Amino acid sequence: MWTAITREVSPALAGCELSFVPRSPIDVVLARSQHAAYCRALESLGCGVIQLPALPDYPDSVFVEDVALVFDEVAIATRPGAESRRGEGDAVHEVLGSLRPLLRIETPGTLDGGDVLCIGKRVFVGISARSNEAGRAQLRELLAPYGYTVEGVATRECLHLKSAVTQVAGDTLLVNPAWLADASPFAGYRMIEVDPEEEHAANAVRVGDAILYPDCFPKTLARLHEAGINVTTVDVSELQKAEGAVTCCSLLLRTATTA
């Protein structure tokens, strides 16, 4: 079965860090309603949802993906590239530590979970403003005993690697090629390109054989349907104003079932 770790929306969401989207008014009440619907959608796809309470002093804390990485064998506490976010992870790490051995990225490394895309035993890490070479090197060392490889992927004009590419099926990626400075690391995968008019449309959450996807990208959604991808849509418009996306709002991990 799947477990999803989430966190309620902070009342300070409007004070979020922004890099590539303009600041605009955020309706926090609506953001909370949308987040609740997002959690229900995860449940409908077979996830047991663990929801942590909001952190009033951390505007970006709803985006739990950035503070940790989860693999079948181990979890890793990251060190976010934005200094303002480095106090968000304690409760997340406590939960993960009860489910996996917990390792850590240490100074001077920085690593945002949004920059990490794992496909089987291949781990792709965005070369971005939020994740540095020291962070990638530490991740490579931490994962080597478990048989994972780690390779950098240069991005441009976007916050994280998973702003530009996510996995939507076993051998299939959803990609905005304009935001990848070098797509060669993904040679060999089938690629579905986002519609050029929907540049933010490459971010999707994969849960088993289904994906959870924003409802505001109809042209790219049609391409997913044409490719035979099973899609559940959600409205995350207020979270998108905070430069968030559907992957950002949860940490997904496979958990063993008991007989």
Side-chain angles (χ1 to χ4, degrees):
M1 62 176 294
W2 290 91
T3 295
I5 300 172
T6 68
R7 184 185 289 284
E8 294 178 338
V9 174
S10 171
L13 179 63
C16 58
E17 295 274 355
L18 294 176
S19 298
F20 292 94
V21 300
R23 193 169 296 277
S24 60
I26 295 176
D27 184 332
V28 174
V29 173
L30 179 55
R32 288 173 174 156
S33 176
Q34 291 176 349
H35 186 264
Y38 169 89
C39 292
R40 291 193 297 272
L42 287 173
E43 291 175 334
S44 76
L45 295 177
C47 292
V49 176
I50 299 172
Q51 183 151 269
L52 300 172
L55 292 178
D57 295 332
Y58 291 95
D60 293 281
S61 54
V62 65
F63 304 127
V64 293
E65 176 189 48
D66 289 323
V67 301
L69 306 172
V70 186
F71 303 87
D72 287 343
E73 306 88 349
V74 68
I76 298 174
T78 66
R79 185 169 178 267
E83 188 173 355
S84 66
R85 300 197 60 191
R86 291 179 190 162
E88 295 177 15
D90 290 350
V92 175
H93 301 156
E94 183 177 350
V95 172
L96 286 176
S98 71
L99 300 169
R100 298 280 194 279
L102 183 66
L103 308 176
R104 291 184 179 273
I105 300 295
E106 306 285 357
T107 305
T110 63
L111 188 68
D112 275 16
D115 267 325
V116 180
L117 175 63
C118 182
I119 304 176
K121 290 288 186 175
R122 297 183 71 185
V123 179
F124 302 93
V125 182
I127 300 171
S128 74
R130 297 289 180 91
S131 300
N132 64 18
E133 175 54 36
R136 292 190 294 276
Q138 288 182 38
L139 182 63
R140 187 175 294 114
E141 182 177 355
L142 292 173
L143 289 178
Y146 304 99
Y148 292 88
T149 61
V150 173
E151 51 196 296
V153 181
T155 62
R156 60 188 173 201
E157 300 179 20
C158 64
L159 182 61
H160 290 134
L161 177 63
K162 280 189 280 195
S163 305
V165 55
T166 52
Q167 184 184 23
V168 292
D171 64 345
T172 305
L173 307 179
L174 181 61
V175 180
N176 178 350
W179 287 355
L180 290 176
D182 179 10
S184 64
F186 301 114
Y189 292 100
R190 175 192 182 200
M191 293 194 187
I192 301 171
E193 293 190 6
V194 303
D195 186 276
E197 296 180 6
E198 298 173 343
E199 61 180 1
H200 291 274
N203 187 270
V205 174
R206 185 177 180 221
V207 184
D209 294 327
I211 68 167
L212 189 58
Y213 190 69
D215 65 1
C216 58
F217 303 122
K219 294 180 179 179
T220 302
L221 179 61
R223 296 183 180 194
L224 290 167
H225 285 150
E226 289 168 6
I229 306 296
N230 180 17
V231 183
T232 296
T233 59
V234 287
D235 181 0
V236 289
S237 59
E238 296 306 299
L239 298 168
Q240 288 172 321
K241 292 177 183 178
E243 208 162 9
V246 287
T247 63
C248 305
C249 294
S250 59
L251 280 165
L252 297 181
L253 59 153
R254 280 188 284 259
T255 47
T257 58
T258 56

